[in-house]
Each structure stands twice: as structure tokens, then as C-alpha cells.
Amino acid sequence: MRIRKWLGLPIGVSLTYAILAGLWIGLSDYILVFLVKSPDLLVTLSLTKGLLFVAITALLLYVLLTSWQGLNRLERVEKPLIRYNRWLIAGFFATALMVPIISGGLIWKQTPQVERETRDRLMAFSQLQADLINNWLAERQGDANNLASDVFLMQAIQRWLIVDEDSGLEQILDRVFTNRIKAYGYDAIEVYSAGQLVKYWGGKAHTNSNILSQLISDSGRAQEVMQSSLYKDEQGVLHLEWLIPFPAEDMERSIVLVLHASPADILLKALQHWSAAPDGAMSYLVVQEGNTPKFLGLDEAGRAVVEFSCMHSSWLLQVQGVSDLGSVIKTCDDEKMVFGYTDIQNANWTVFTQMTQGQARDPLRELVGWVTLISSLAMVALMLMLWMIWRRELMAHKFEIETRAAEKDALIDYVSHYDHITGLPNRVLFMTRLSHQIKHAKREHKKMALIMLDLDRFKDVNDSYGHAVGDELLAALASRLSDQLGQMNTLARMGGDEFAVLIEDLPNTKSAEVLAHRIAQNISQPLQLTQGAEVRVGVTMGISVFPDHGQNADALLQNADAALYRAKADGKGSFAFYNDELTELARQRVRQELQLKQAIFKKHLKVYYQPQVDLKSNHIVGAEALIRWLDPEKGFISPLNFIPMAEETGLIQEIGEWVLREVCTQGQAWLAQGYPPFRLAVNVSAQQLRHGGVDKLIKKILDETGFPARYLELELTESALMQEVSHIDETLIKLRQLGLTLALDDFGTGYSSLSYLKRFALDVIKIDQSFVADLSHEQNGQQIVNAIITMGHALGLCVLAEGVENTDQLAYLMQHDCDLYQGFLVSQAIPADDFMRLYQKSLT
């Protein structure tokens, strides 16, 4: 039962896997050594197998552990983690001990086979060396046999020896032997008669050689070609001779031809280290001289053949002084050396190649070393991975405990600082933020506003529908206000049905008034609750401004509450500033806004038309549509009083749409009545452009009224063009595609008029009336107007002058080629019927 429980844990599975993986690595390497005989291939396969094994099993282990269901319930693993830590350590040492044991067994088991393979390689290498020497000896032995069978050469030498004066024979012999020296690389060719040197060709004669003298005597008696033994001359140069005796009746007339060759070059080639030779192998040439073998090899630089004293090799010491070298080599089983040998067929020589057993075992040791290293690294990596997993589980458990504690602290902090119904900051957090923002506003010298909100008729909702519906209403209103205010302002629930809004960056007091008005409109919208009830509430607000109404959080909050109570006393659904004067101004603007809404609804707004005259023909060619407010009680109300308010409250969009529709309807009516067509200009506000869709609105009105787009002109102010440039670009392009005319109003009083003339596709620029008014008495005004006219014409634009009131102004404009004008000189803005009578009069 305990074993099953232990195996059910991730740490138990991991440790079991580590032990099995260690056994697999060791056994697979052991089997691979038996199957693969090539050491190089064995190394490659072992490394590849090890790397693939580590990569695949690590991936599988990672997938297994990360998907383990038990990791999601870490509280069950806390005690087993501590208990099975000892098993992790024991498993590490057990698997680590298995690797060297298996590696040692591999070396012990494979050593005999490796030595056999090395001996076979040494035998094959010595055979290559012996073949090279055999070929060299065979070439020279064959040449000697050819000379011995040459009857003409024998007769020529005999006659030359008898008749010394025969120079022709000497020249023939010189040529024959010189060619032999060049062709076969002999050092010298000598002729002996009666045991004495007669003449030699090539290198230095060897007359002082006792060995040569003895061989000459022996060959004379043997009457056959004889190869002399390998020996050194007085200068230490290796020599080898072939003696060719010619038949003679007695020793007095015997002739022996001696071919001298130096075997140093061929021995250097044969005994040097070839790329095919096993690493560490050394080669010797064993020459039998009587009962004593002579050992020749290369010096340390590998540039000369030297004779060894045999003191450095136990094997050479064993065979030194033995006459039957071959039998000794065949029967010797030296445990410290691995060797191979091959006899030279044409000489009493043996090529002997040897290396120590340690050198023979080095490849196996290197192979096993790499396998051991890779296996050890793989096991260490696996155990390290298991240890990291164990640490991960432990740290994850600790992290869960810490996370739960942190979540508990965060929950306590949230409950302490946030309202549980609306999720908004509560009074404590709001006062903290208010104090912080006051410090910031003091440093930056900025204004702030605090608005206290109290819901009207909220008690009636609680009493009628219950507290659950009341809480839902509070949450819905909080969400609606949060969306309206965004992240720049702070909204908090102070308790009950009271909310607070902190306006952190207040441009002016009027902005707080506008925001309060919009909040009132937002809250007054009906709410559809989950129970199907539709609820509508109102709001009363009190406003205090920093630093005018308080220097700290408590003072601002107290004064905002005081303003709230004053607003309640005046009647629900209103708002009040802590300052009486500001409160009165705010109330006045609220009344004006309400009156403006009623004026739109009751059609107290009228469209008047001011004529636009061509300076060359003095005919009316167009009119600017201007809005007028005619109140039944107050009479005429100036646009300067209600247009800014309409823009602040958003009513300007409704008014602008109404004006466009009225102008297009009136223009189409005039065309239907048969009047000649002329252009009607309508002002478009910055808000209409900023909110977008003005092109769709105009197209819709044109389609509904049937008024041709080419007779409609839109007048834009520079403040309107200073909105989002990319958005304005797109809108103006769409308007031009409709076929409208675009005019820039009040030119010269804005920001960077020249840049707008270059950027936007305009048709008309209107000179502001402030410049026209200066034409009569100011030279600067004249220069400005003249510059605008010149620049407009250079850009291909029509230039219209506004506010023309006297003939002097008109004369100056005509003198400087202004195109159009409008102003009181021709007429002020008048109703549609009066304008049409004036238009008809201008045509006559």
C-alpha cells in the first residue's frame, strides 16, 4: 500500500524513472559495444543515442509532470515532499554508482577483443611495410640477374681487362653502367678482377670493406649472384651490394661486378608513421647477422635510420641474441606489448611493429570515457531536473500559502477601501486620494473641483421595490457614471445614496458646471432593472473648488456638502457652488440652456440670409445663412450669447442639422419657383466636424430636399480645422466628392492660416471684418487685406470680404481686385422673403 502511494506521487514516478533510465543507458551501451566493431562508429552511435535519449525523455518527463493532476492539490504533497527527499538523494547516489561499474565492466570485457583487433592491424601494417621493401629489393635483384646473364657484357669486360688500350670498350662500359646508376639509383658500380678493384663508376669505391672482400671471394667460388648483408661504412652510411661473378678458368682471371645501393631512403619510407598505422605504433627492421639480430628504426625526428640498443623495449631485449628470431616471435606472448611482424622474402630481414597494451586500449578507454561522460551528464541532468521539480512543488506549495495570505490581506484591504455594492472607492480611500491630489495640485499650481452627488427619489425606490433593487440601481448608476467620467476623474461612493466626483485637472470653474450638468443628464436617463422595473431618479449636486473653497481635503468636502444642502434647499434636481456668485451664474446658464431647448422645440429659431455681392457686376451671387433667436418675451437674443453655450452643452449639433435642413429646403423652394440659382453658405461648427458623420448628414439632407450640392457652400473656421487633422482630411475629401464648395471663414484671425490653405482643398477665403474695418483709416489694415487678396488669387481661390459698411472700403476692395463682399453696405441678415425681393432687385 505504501509503495503504491509512493508511486502515485510525481516525485515517486520521477525517481523510478531515473533508476530505470540509468539501467537503460548502461545496458544499451553494453549491447552496442558487442554489436558495433568500429570504434569511430560506436562513438557516433553512442553520442547520438545518448543525446536523443536525454532530449526525448526530458520532454516526456516535462509533459508528464506539468500535466499531473496531483500538482493542482499541493496541500496533499507537503509531508510526502519532506519524507521522500531521502529517497531522491539515495536514488541519485545509486544511479551515479551504476555508471562507473558498467563502464569498468565494458573495459574489462572488451580488452581482449580490442588487443586482437590491434594485433591484426599491426600485422596488416607490417605487411604493407614489408611489401614496399620487397618490391625495392626485387627490382635490384632482377637487374643483377639480367647483368649476370648478359654474355656480351661479360665478354666486353674480359676483353677490356686483357687489352687495356681498347678505349672503345671502355666507352661502351661507361655508358652501360652510367645508365644503370641513373635508372636504378645505384650509389656505385665496381669491377673486381682476381679479388682486386679494377675500376668503379658513380660514387666512392668500397675497397676497404672487409665484408665486401669476403663476399667477393665467396661469390667467385659460388659462381652465382649474391646479395650482401646490410652494413654501415666508415661514415655510418647504410649499404647493400649485389655481387655478380662471371665464369673464369682460375681465380687469377675471375671477374666480379659489384652493384652498390643505399637502402636509407626506402627504409625511411617503410618505417615512418603512416596514416594507416594505429596511433602509438613503432616499426623496426630486424636484420639477422649471425646469431645476433640488429634492430634498425627511425630517430626521434624521423629523418634518419639508426640502430637501437634495445634497452627501451622488453620485447626487443627478449629476442636480442637469439638466432631463430621467427620462432621466438611466433611463440612469444608478451603481456605488456602488442605486436605484428612480416618477413622480407628477398632478404634475411623482418619488419616488426609494436605498441604497448596501454596504447592499444586507449581508443576503448576514450570510447567508454565518452559514453560514461555522456551517460553521467544525462543522469545528472535527469536528477537535477527531478530536484528542480521537487523544489518547484515545494515552492509552489509555499507560494500558494503566501498567495492565500496575500489574497486574504488584499480582501481585507479591498473591503476597507472599496464599496461592496458598486465596486467604487469608499470614503476612506477617496479622502486619501483627495489629500494626495491636493498636494499635487499645490506643486503644479492647478485647480480641482469636488462634486458631491445626492440621488433624488432613491428612498422611494427602496420603499417600493426593496433594498435588492436599490442596490442594483446603485451599481448600475455607478457603472454609468464610471463610463462617463473615464479614468481621469475619481468617482467614489460616500455612503447611502451619496457619491463624490473629483475633477483632478480643472481648466476653469465653468468646466465643473458643464460636467455637473452632463452628470445630471446622465443620471436622469431611465434604467431598466432585472425585475423588469423601469426606474428614473434625479440628482442634486454641491461643488467646491480648490484652492478657492478650501486648502485641505476636509475643508473641500465640508464646503461641497454645504453647497449640496443649499442646492437641496433651493429644490431638487439642481446644483450649487459653494460661492454664491458662481452659483447664480451657473443657474443663469442652466436657465438659458433650457430656454434654448424650448426655442428649438417651439421654432423660435429663424434662418436669416445676408447677401454676397460680386464686386465687378454688383449683382447678388449668393447669401450666408445666419441663425437668429427671436424670443417672444425678450425679443432678439444675440448669437454671441447662445452659440457658445450650445457648443458647450452639445446642442450645437442639433441646431446645425436644423439649419442645414432649413437652408436646403428654402434653396430648393426658390429653384422650384423659377428663380435663378445662387450659392447658399452655411456655417459648420467644430463639434460637428469632431464627432464625424457630417458628410453623411449633408448627403442625406441633399437627397431628402433635392437641393443641388453645387449651390451649397460650407463655411469652416480655423478652430474647426485644428481638430484631428487626419479625420478632417478624410471628411473634407468626402465633402468635395459630394460637389460642395468649401470656404474658410474669418481668415487671418486663427492660428496658422497659411498651412491650412496649403493642406486643405478650399475654394473661398473670407477676409475677417476686423481687417476690413481698418481699411478706411489704417495703413496696416490695407496692407494685410491687399496681401490676403494677392495670396488668395495666387492659390486660385475666390476672396470674399466680410463686414463692408461704407463706400471707401468698397472702393479699396474694387481697386485691389477683391471678388465678393458682404456687409451692412448692401444689407444686414434678413428673412428669406426680404432677401428674395432684394435679390430680384439686384438682377434688374
Side-chain angles (χ1 to χ4, degrees), residues 36 65 83 149 174 180 188 274 316 322 338 374 435 447 462 493 495 511 617 619 630 655 660 691 726-727 789:
V36 181
L65 293 176
R83 181 183 305 169
S149 61
D174 286 343
R180 279 291 193 277
W274 294 6
L316 297 182
V322 178
V338 181
I374 298 299
S435 300
K447 282 191 173 185
N462 269 339
R493 184 189 178 198
S511 300
S617 65
H619 291 164
L630 299 177
I655 294 174
L660 275 170
H691 289 286
S726 61
H727 169 66
I789 294 173

Side-chain angles (χ1 to χ4, degrees), residues 126 340 433 469:
S126 66
R433 293 184 179 178
V469 174

Side-chain angles (χ1 to χ4, degrees), residues 630-756:
L630 299 177
D631 187 84
E633 299 179 358
K634 297 182 180 181
F636 175 78
I637 298 178
S638 173
L640 298 177
N641 292 333
F642 70 86
I643 292 297
M645 179 181 62
E647 290 180 344
E648 292 177 359
T649 58
L651 290 174
I652 191 65
Q653 295 191 63
E654 183 178 350
I655 294 174
E657 180 179 353
W658 176 81
V659 171
L660 275 170
R661 193 178 300 277
E662 285 290 316
V663 171
C664 292
T665 302
Q666 182 62 68
Q668 180 61 27
W670 282 335
L671 291 175
Q673 294 172 11
Y675 293 112
F678 53 88
R679 194 156 51 202
L680 296 178
V682 180
N683 290 280
V684 177
S685 69
Q687 282 198 24
Q688 286 177 284
L689 286 177
R690 181 170 62 248
H691 289 286
V694 66
D695 55 315
K696 296 180 180 178
L697 173 64
I698 294 176
K699 186 177 186 306
K700 176 183 177 182
I701 293 175
L702 291 175
D703 293 340
E704 291 177 355
T705 60
F707 186 62
R710 61 182 179 274
Y711 299 135
L712 180 63
E713 178 181 296
L714 297 183
E715 294 190 0
L716 309 171
T717 62
E718 290 180 287
S719 60
L721 296 180
M722 283 197 64
Q723 308 299 319
E724 304 174 37
V725 176
S726 61
H727 169 66
I728 297 299
D729 274 335
E730 182 180 353
T731 301
L732 294 184
I733 291 173
K734 292 179 179 179
L735 292 175
R736 289 302 299 266
Q737 292 174 350
L738 292 176
L740 306 178
T741 301
L742 300 179
L744 182 61
D745 197 10
D746 301 333
F747 183 80
T749 61
Y751 302 91
S752 54
S753 305
L754 295 179
S755 65
Y756 292 122

